[in-house]
Amino acid sequence: MADPMRIRASANGDVVEVKILMRHDMETGQRKDAAGKVIPAHYIKTLTAKCKDKLVLDAQFGPSVSKDPFLSFKFKGGAKGDKVAVTWVDTKGDTRTDEGTIS
């Protein structure tokens, strides 16, 4: 299991801004190790974010996303104290879900 995501969410009026730092190696499948063998692809494929059981973000990543990706997005409909749950699934089927509270 990967390290926890850092999730910061803040409300400004009726708009909530969410910032996420994900810990993941994001291997493209094109690099080689010291022995010259190709390192298999291993990257986040999908990411979803929900607030009050409502889907507010549905993203699909590819191998070109950098290691430890940072993502920022805004949505309407959240309020201070609500939870934002973020879930990702990678190419090996590993999954991670973390929550942040809107401040």
Side-chain angles (χ1 to χ4, degrees):
M1 179 72 52
D3 292 334
M5 291 179 263
R6 291 186 182 176
I7 302 171
R8 303 285 186 262
S10 58
N12 188 3
D14 64 342
V15 176
V16 176
E17 181 176 20
V18 180
K19 296 179 180 181
I20 308 164
L21 179 61
M22 298 164 267
R23 299 284 182 203
H24 199 285
D25 285 341
M26 302 295 283
E27 284 295 341
T28 65
Q30 297 177 347
R31 291 184 336 121
K32 295 182 181 180
D33 62 15
K37 290 186 175 182
V38 174
I39 300 170
H42 182 212
Y43 56 89
I44 295 172
K45 292 189 317 184
T46 61
L47 180 127
T48 58
K50 292 183 177 183
C51 181
K52 297 188 280 190
D53 289 328
K54 179 183 174 190
L55 187 67
V56 294
L57 177 74
D58 187 7
Q60 297 181 2
F61 291 179
S64 63
V65 176
S66 68
K67 178 180 177 177
D68 298 335
F70 173 79
L71 178 67
S72 177
F73 65 94
K74 296 178 182 182
F75 71 93
K76 290 185 177 183
K80 291 183 179 184
D82 290 345
K83 301 272 188 193
V84 176
V86 179
T87 302
W88 58 250
V89 178
D90 69 16
T91 55
K92 290 185 178 179
D94 294 335
T95 186
R96 172 115 202 149
T97 301
D98 290 299
E99 283 186 346
T101 303
I102 300 172
S103 60

